[in-house]
């Protein structure tokens, strides 16, 4: 098979037709391996997490570049709310439509075919690794880099940038505040200890923390908001013995799990000192989730996605911006900015320190919505820029400028 934009679009349509929730990416991963083999990739394989990996070997010992997208997608919701069926991969009115069209099966297909164009041209290896569980905190990328089966010198993330070069984002953490009491029949409240009674002062503390967040000149301010209150048991005539408040915390790079938990715990301890009736208690923990890959690998993963930020003056960033240019102004460098959402770049750069940028077609506003679509004219432009971008990043890594 010849790598081309048209073939990449057809590949993307096939991938959209294979629903792939987190943990259910096997059909997509195996289809990616078939495409890699047909395009002449070497070392084509699945790793123990189910990440789909292939390599276009370099002509020498130049720096290696990792192209990364993810194989999982979020749920489609009610298909009747979509203009086109979410899993049909329809091309209409100049757009590719469907769940994953721009987040991220469209860019995934473009990256895979663009890498194949560089066979015999790139000085170092072009590694393509499409990872699992990105939508639930990045277990796939975490395993990929911790296992060391790939060791790239730089990473290009395929999350939508609308043709800009993205250099970072805030991280995300889920914190759980658990309030414990004693359940009882609602007709006899004196026999119970209602966990809900601790909720008002707890929410006051949350509001205080929310209003006191650090800020970064590029990434903006950290933010925290309560997003869910779970009450157990869920019966309306039972006094609950457990209430869990979930906090969604968008954090700046470098913040640790321990620091986040401690900040909430210390604030609650000060506010609730002497105010917790006998028989009631509270605790604060980082939320965890049991995640099981289709390969059988299982993990109790804490729900923290690291943030990261590249210096806009880093040689890789400057080379990327020059190479990409602007669709409307080919002579000018690409706009350089952060994403508003989190990506697997938090693992590659935020944790492992690998220079990481993002470049892909697509508008962020369509992500995770029933209007998800990929502008094919913009996608073709981005496809043409990818080989230039990869070679420019390899040159910058070789020379440091």
């Amino acid at each position: 098979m010849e790598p081309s934009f048209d073939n990449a679009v057809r590949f993307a349509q096939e991938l959209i037709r294979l629903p792939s929730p987190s943990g259910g990416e096997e059909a997509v991963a195996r289809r990616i391996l078939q495409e890699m083999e047909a395009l002449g990739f070497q070392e084509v394989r699945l790793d123990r997490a189910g990440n789909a990996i292939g390599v276009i070997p370099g002509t020498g010992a130049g720096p290696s570049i990792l192209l990364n997208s993810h194989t999982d997608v979020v749920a489609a919701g009610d298909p009747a709310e979509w203009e086109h069926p979410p899993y049909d991969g329809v091309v209409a009115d100049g757009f590719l439509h469907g769940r994953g069209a721009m987040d991220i099966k469209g860019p995934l297909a473009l990256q895979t075919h663009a890498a194949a164009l560089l066979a015999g041209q790139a000085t170092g290896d072009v590694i393509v690794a499409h990872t699992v569980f990105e939508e639930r905190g990045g277990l796939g990328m975490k395993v990929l880099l911790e296992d060391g089966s790939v060791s790239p010198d730089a990473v290009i993330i395929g999350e939508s940038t609308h043709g800009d070069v993205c250099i970072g984002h805030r991280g995300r953490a889920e914190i759980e505040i658990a309030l414990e009491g004693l359940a009882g029949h609602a007709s006899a409240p004196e026999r119970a200890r209602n966990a809900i009674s601790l909720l008002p002062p707890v929410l006051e503390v949350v509001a205080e923390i929310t209003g006191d967040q650090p800020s970064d000149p590029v990434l903006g301010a950290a933010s925290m908001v309560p997003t869910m209150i779970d009450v157990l048991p869920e019966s309306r005539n039972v006094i609950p013995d457990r209430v869990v408040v979930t906090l969604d915390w968008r954090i700046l790079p470098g913040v640790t799990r321990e620091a986040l938990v401690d900040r909430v715990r210390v604030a609650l301890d000060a506010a609730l000192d002497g105010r917790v009736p006998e028989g009631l208690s509270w605790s604060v923990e980082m939320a965890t989730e049991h995640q099981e890959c289709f390969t059988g690998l299982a993990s109790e993963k804490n729900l923290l996605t690291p943030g990261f930020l590249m210096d806009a003056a880093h040689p890789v960033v400057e080379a990327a911006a020059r190479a990409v240019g602007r669709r409307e102004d080919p002579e000018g460098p690409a706009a350089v900015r952060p994403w508003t959402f989190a990506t697997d770049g938090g693992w590659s750069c935020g944790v492992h320190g690998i220079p990481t940028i993002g470049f892909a077609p697509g508008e962020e506003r369509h992500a995770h919505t029933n209007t998800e679509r990929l502008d094919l004219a913009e996608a073709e432009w981005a496809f043409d820029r990818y080989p230039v971008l990869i070679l420019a990043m390899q040159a910058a890594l070789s020379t440091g400028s």
Side-chain angles (χ1 to χ4, degrees), residues 154-167:
V155 178
I156 304 173
I157 301 289
E159 298 281 4
S160 63
T161 70
H162 203 21
D164 298 336
V165 170
C166 285
I167 57 172

Side-chain angles (χ1 to χ4, degrees), residues 80-371:
E81 298 296 320
W82 288 69
E83 181 182 0
H84 300 280
Y87 298 116
D88 281 10
V90 171
V91 171
D93 304 317
F95 293 90
L96 172 64
H97 297 265
R99 177 57 79 230
M102 49 76 62
D103 186 18
I104 191 175
K105 292 175 177 178
L108 181 158
L110 297 178
Q111 284 189 329
T112 305
H113 276 253
L117 287 172
L118 288 174
Q121 297 184 49
T123 58
D125 291 349
V126 180
I127 307 162
V128 176
H130 300 313
T131 44
V132 300
F133 268 106
E134 188 275 344
E135 296 288 3
R136 297 303 302 157
L139 176 62
M141 181 66 97
K142 181 175 183 290
V143 170
L144 178 75
L145 295 177
E146 286 180 353
D147 282 0
S149 62
V150 300
S151 299
D153 294 298
V155 178
I156 304 173
I157 301 289
E159 298 281 4
S160 63
T161 70
H162 203 21
D164 298 336
V165 170
C166 285
I167 57 172
H169 54 70
R170 298 178 300 172
R172 178 183 181 272
E174 279 189 26
I175 301 289
E176 291 181 343
I177 304 172
L179 314 177
E180 305 281 354
L182 177 66
H185 199 287
S187 66
E190 71 279 0
R191 299 175 187 166
R193 296 292 181 268
N194 194 338
I196 290 178
S197 65
L198 284 179
L199 193 54
V202 165
L203 291 179
E204 288 179 10
V205 171
V206 169
E208 291 174 3
I209 298 174
T210 298
D212 182 22
Q213 293 293 310
S215 185
D216 179 89
V218 177
L219 298 177
S223 63
M224 186 178 75
V225 62
T227 55
M228 187 173 291
I229 298 176
D230 291 311
V231 178
L232 297 171
E234 293 182 338
S235 177
R236 294 189 178 188
N237 62 355
V238 174
I239 295 170
D241 62 358
R242 182 173 172 84
V243 175
V244 179
V245 181
T246 300
L247 308 177
D248 182 299
W249 205 338
R250 302 296 164 142
I251 58 176
L252 298 182
V255 180
T256 66
R257 175 181 65 85
E258 293 78 12
L260 296 171
V261 171
D262 284 349
R263 182 169 183 199
V264 178
R265 186 177 289 145
V266 168
L268 283 174
D269 200 35
L272 297 178
D273 185 32
R275 298 176 61 187
V276 180
E278 183 179 355
L280 294 173
S281 62
W282 58 271
S283 61
V284 182
E285 301 291 344
M286 179 70 65
T288 61
E289 178 179 86
H290 179 77
Q291 298 182 348
E292 186 165 343
C293 302
F294 67 82
T295 58
L297 175 69
S299 173
E300 296 298 325
K301 188 180 181 306
N302 68 60
L303 297 182
L304 187 152
T305 301
F308 82 99
L309 181 62
M310 290 283 292
D311 186 338
H314 190 287
V316 164
V317 175
E318 292 187 334
R322 289 193 301 268
V324 168
R326 296 174 186 255
R327 187 178 170 203
E328 69 280 5
D329 178 17
E331 300 304 316
V336 175
R337 63 171 176 86
W339 282 288
T340 58
F341 52 71
T343 77
D344 272 345
W347 293 105
S348 59
C349 188
V351 174
H352 291 273
I354 304 168
T356 299
I357 60 108
F359 174 70
E363 297 182 65
E364 293 181 18
R365 65 190 176 97
H366 291 304
H368 296 193
T369 72
N370 58 12
T371 65

Side-chain angles (χ1 to χ4, degrees), residues 26-37:
E26 182 171 9
V28 163
R30 295 196 181 282
R31 179 64 188 86
I32 291 169
L33 298 189
Q34 292 174 355
E35 194 80 0
M36 287 178 169
E37 289 172 346

